[in-house]
Amino acid sequence: MPTSDTSAKLRLRRRPTAPGRRRRLVAVLACSLMLAWALTEPYLLSVERSVVTSPDLPVAFDGTRVVFAADIHAGRFYSQRRVRSLVKRINAENPDLVILGGDYVGGHSNGAAAFYPEIDSLRARDGVVAVLGNHDYWEGRADAIAGLDAAGITVLDNSSICIRRGKVSITIAGVADQLTGDPDVSAAASGIAPEEFAVLISHVPDYLDAALPASKGLFDLALSGHTHGGQVTVFGLWAPILPSRFGQRYRGGWLSEEGVPVLVTRGVATVGTPLRFFARPQLHVIELRRGPAGVQH
């Protein structure tokens, strides 16, 4: 039987555990809030607006509105209804040109049935162009090309297209996916003159490290995706998992390579588990202006 002194000592030992219980409670609440945010963030698509200026842009194209989207990953976690909503959102921007940066389907999730019937509704004055991503190859390259072609979308596979207004034009070039294909920037840039305004699209940004020096200043803008901004980050500062051999360099956002402005989008949807943490999904509206080379965002 404990004495009164012993009981008093036991009570004294228990009292310091109250702050510990509070800390544990705060930790549980914090983790719950972070998980709730990570489950919610994939649905919070932001529209990022930028202005790209270049002296090579013809006057006839001054003010051109380009919408750029990538990494939609239609399928298990991105339904046909969400694809339809995305198309409406793009059309609401009244774009002159829509550029699609690859990974339209989930990879092995039968996303074709959710994606390709809906993108037929995309509308843009100068059309829609696209490159393929690794997930498009994994789900079926032939199906991807057929689906895009049926929607009237031009697939750029180590090739380019001229968009004309009167006697002047700009060029949009795209390369094959680096992970599943054989990208060739020389083939994509064939026929582009240094004084022309040209855009390069590469689904995987790592390829730009070699492609932009090899193309020797032919491009005025480069667009890429694939990395999802890391998808789950340490409060937007660092991504522990990033599909790039260059570490955080191509995690997401604007950077400059060989004097060329490069945009690596965080993408529209997610890969695998539908979680994002401080890597909010993006849709980009880029206004092209004639003037000294630069980017405002």
Side-chain angles (χ1 to χ4, degrees), residues 14-233:
R14 290 191 189 104
R15 284 172 190 160
T17 64
R21 288 197 298 271
R22 285 197 294 271
R23 285 194 293 270
R24 287 195 293 273
L25 178 60
V26 169
V28 169
L29 288 173
C31 289
S32 299
L33 288 172
M34 287 190 290
L35 178 59
W37 178 254
L39 290 167
T40 302
E41 193 173 90
Y43 296 91
L44 303 178
L45 182 68
S46 64
V47 178
E48 307 290 336
R49 302 181 187 277
S50 307
V51 178
V52 173
T53 56
S54 171
D56 294 335
L57 188 73
V59 173
F61 286 88
D62 192 24
T64 294
R65 289 167 62 83
V66 178
V67 172
F68 174 52
D71 301 292
I72 297 161
H73 294 284
R76 183 180 177 188
F77 297 117
Y78 204 90
S79 67
Q80 186 168 355
R81 179 185 59 81
R82 292 182 72 185
V83 175
R84 187 180 307 127
S85 177
L86 176 67
V87 168
K88 289 180 179 178
R89 194 158 187 179
I90 292 173
N91 288 342
E93 294 294 335
N94 193 27
D96 295 297
L97 175 67
V98 173
I99 296 177
L100 301 176
D103 275 5
Y104 312 116
V105 295
H108 300 288
S109 60
N110 194 30
F115 184 74
Y116 298 112
E118 297 300 330
I119 59 165
D120 183 66
S121 299
L122 279 175
R123 296 290 178 265
R125 171 185 176 183
D126 295 313
V128 184
V129 300
V131 297
L132 299 185
N134 50 298
H135 284 266
D136 305 316
Y137 278 78
W138 292 336
E139 191 158 309
R141 181 178 183 275
D143 291 340
I145 292 174
L148 292 165
D149 184 65
I153 296 172
T154 301
V155 179
L156 300 174
D157 190 38
N158 296 329
S159 58
S160 64
I161 183 173
C162 284
I163 297 172
R164 299 190 178 279
R165 291 185 185 173
K167 295 182 179 181
V168 297
S169 65
I170 63 174
T171 300
I172 313 297
V175 294
D177 175 64
Q178 187 181 38
L179 300 180
T180 55
D182 186 17
D184 186 344
V185 72
S186 296
S190 179
I192 298 177
E195 66 274 11
E196 292 182 56
F197 182 88
V199 179
L200 176 63
I201 317 164
S202 171
H203 175 67
V204 176
D206 284 16
Y207 183 65
L208 300 176
D209 178 71
L212 292 176
S215 54
K216 298 177 181 178
L218 292 179
F219 293 103
D220 300 272
L221 172 65
L223 303 173
S224 195
H226 183 64
T227 57
H228 291 248
Q231 196 163 302
V232 176
T233 73

Side-chain angles (χ1 to χ4, degrees), residues 281-296:
Q282 295 175 309
L283 182 68
H284 301 270
V285 179
I286 304 169
E287 184 179 356
L288 304 180
R289 304 293 303 189
R290 183 177 173 85
V295 178
Q296 300 172 29

